[in-house]
Amino acid sequence: MDVTGILEEHKSRFKTIQVDRLIPPDLDLGMLAAFDINMVDEDKLRASQGTRDAYLQELSREGTQLLINELFGLPTAVDEDSVYASLPRATTVLPREKPVPKEKPLTRWEKFAKIKKIQNRKKSRMVFDEEAGEWRPRYGFKGVNNDDQRPWLLEVPGNADQYADQFQVKREEKKARIEKNTRRQQRNIEERVASEKGLKPQEMRKRQLQQAIVMSKGSTASLGKFDDKLKGEPKIKGLKRKFDPLVTTTDKEKTKNMDILNRVAKGDTSATVLNVRKAQRAVNKEKRKQK
């Protein structure tokens, strides 16, 4: 039985893996991209839509075939059900979507640690409590630092009230330390924001204070017009109405009147020419008087 015809028909269904290019395309296997700089056939691009689509599809297939041929030459790793190729590092440099972030300014502690050459040493989160016989967090919920009754016995200082609760004193001191650290943290955040804007912290605080003063002026009925002025208070800038001079030249007055007349003739009903609502109210009021 001759099966040559069947084999040829089956073979004709598949494209060849050999692709010839006058200029070898640049392949970036790390990005799975192929860059072909060969000239295209302008006649086929200007032909009918079917011919153009088939030509572009053939170019895409040949570029993909070249990329796949190179992928089969990479080192591979065999898994249970698949074979994986190890891609090299990408060589194409893509532009950033967003600008390069600016370097954050150092905080007070970071500046101090840099001068003193202090290095942060990471401590373990859990600490073994010998009395309880278990591991407990160093800080936070159920932390060893939250035991207000530890130690269970406190010595009363010589200059302190002997009847004062020393445990309560320690709790108040701890609360004061937390508030102090919170204020320092807020101060560091303000200094960082000021440095990012190119301002000094004192100058930024001054601006914020001035803005608060201006906003507080709006709480009175006169919007701060008759309030007492503070020393160094900034002058509130508002909108000023601009009026035309009462006495002007004949040419300017003629030009202005002709401009208004032309707008009215064209049907321009903008507020600068004619207040339609006000005119309508005046007409309705006159009609009611006549009745």
Side-chain angles (χ1 to χ4, degrees):
M1 180 179 180
D2 189 8
V3 294
T4 305
I6 299 176
L7 294 176
E8 291 294 335
E9 182 182 358
H10 181 73
K11 184 178 180 181
S12 62
R13 297 179 182 178
F14 302 97
K15 303 287 185 179
T16 177
I17 62 174
Q18 300 297 330
V19 180
D20 296 329
R21 281 286 189 272
L22 182 62
I23 302 176
D26 295 332
L27 302 177
D28 188 354
L29 300 181
M31 298 288 293
L32 295 179
F35 304 94
D36 192 355
I37 60 175
N38 290 278
M39 298 294 292
V40 295
D41 192 347
E42 296 184 359
D43 295 337
K44 293 184 179 180
L45 292 178
R46 296 175 180 175
S48 61
Q49 183 176 359
T51 304
R52 182 174 62 253
D53 293 346
Y55 176 65
L56 294 177
Q57 186 176 4
E58 181 64 20
L59 288 178
S60 301
R61 190 208 71 81
E62 292 177 353
T64 306
Q65 185 64 58
L66 289 173
L67 186 63
I68 293 176
N69 293 345
E70 293 294 330
L71 289 178
F72 274 94
L74 295 176
T76 58
V78 181
D79 201 354
E80 296 180 356
D81 53 351
S82 303
V83 179
Y84 299 94
S86 300
L87 299 179
R89 186 179 297 273
T91 58
T92 304
V93 180
L94 298 178
R96 290 179 58 90
E97 178 187 2
K98 298 179 181 179
V100 179
K102 297 180 180 180
E103 185 178 357
K104 293 184 179 180
L106 299 178
T107 60
R108 287 197 177 192
W109 164 250
E110 291 174 344
K111 293 178 181 178
F112 177 78
K114 187 176 181 181
I115 295 173
K116 297 296 183 179
K117 297 182 179 180
I118 301 175
Q119 297 181 355
N120 291 333
R121 296 180 180 178
K122 188 175 181 181
K123 297 181 180 180
S124 60
R125 180 178 175 273
M126 306 299 291
V127 180
F128 185 75
D129 189 353
E130 296 181 357
E131 295 183 5
E134 60 182 5
W135 290 90
R136 298 177 58 186
R138 187 183 297 272
Y139 303 103
F141 180 67
K142 292 185 178 180
V144 294
N145 66 322
N146 286 338
D147 288 342
D148 297 331
Q149 302 298 329
R150 181 178 298 186
W152 63 273
L153 181 63
L154 293 176
E155 182 180 358
V156 179
N159 57 352
D161 185 6
Q162 59 180 349
Y163 297 105
D165 187 358
Q166 296 302 318
F167 294 102
Q168 180 64 25
V169 172
K170 279 193 168 294
R171 284 193 291 266
E172 293 177 356
E173 291 177 353
K174 179 181 177 181
K175 185 177 180 181
R177 290 196 303 269
I178 293 175
E179 293 177 354
K180 183 179 180 181
N181 291 334
T182 304
R183 290 194 300 268
R184 286 183 175 180
Q185 183 181 8
Q186 182 63 27
R187 181 198 61 190
N188 293 338
I189 293 175
E190 292 176 357
E191 290 181 355
R192 184 186 64 193
V193 174
S195 60
E196 289 177 354
K197 295 182 178 180
L199 301 175
K200 294 183 178 179
Q202 295 82 1
E203 184 179 354
M204 186 173 179
R205 293 193 191 99
K206 183 178 179 180
R207 289 188 179 184
Q208 292 177 349
L209 181 60
Q210 291 176 351
Q211 292 177 358
I213 293 174
V214 173
M215 292 179 62
S216 64
K217 294 294 183 181
S219 60
T220 59
S222 62
L223 298 179
K225 184 177 180 180
F226 303 104
D227 294 350
D228 296 334
K229 301 295 182 182
L230 301 176
K231 184 178 179 180
E233 179 181 349
K235 186 177 180 180
I236 301 176
K237 297 181 180 180
L239 298 177
K240 294 184 178 180
R241 298 180 62 185
K242 184 178 180 181
F243 298 95
D244 295 333
L246 298 176
V247 181
T248 183
T249 61
T250 308
D251 295 338
K252 290 184 178 180
E253 186 176 358
K254 180 180 178 181
T255 303
K256 181 179 179 181
N257 293 335
M258 289 300 297
D259 184 39
I260 295 175
L261 183 61
N262 292 333
R263 291 187 181 184
V264 173
K266 292 180 181 180
D268 189 354
T269 59
S270 60
T272 58
V273 179
L274 180 63
N275 193 333
V276 180
R277 293 185 178 182
K278 188 174 181 180
Q280 185 65 31
R281 287 196 299 268
V283 172
N284 295 337
K285 186 177 180 180
E286 188 66 24
K287 288 182 179 180
R288 287 195 298 269
K289 287 182 178 180
Q290 293 178 0
K291 292 180 180 180

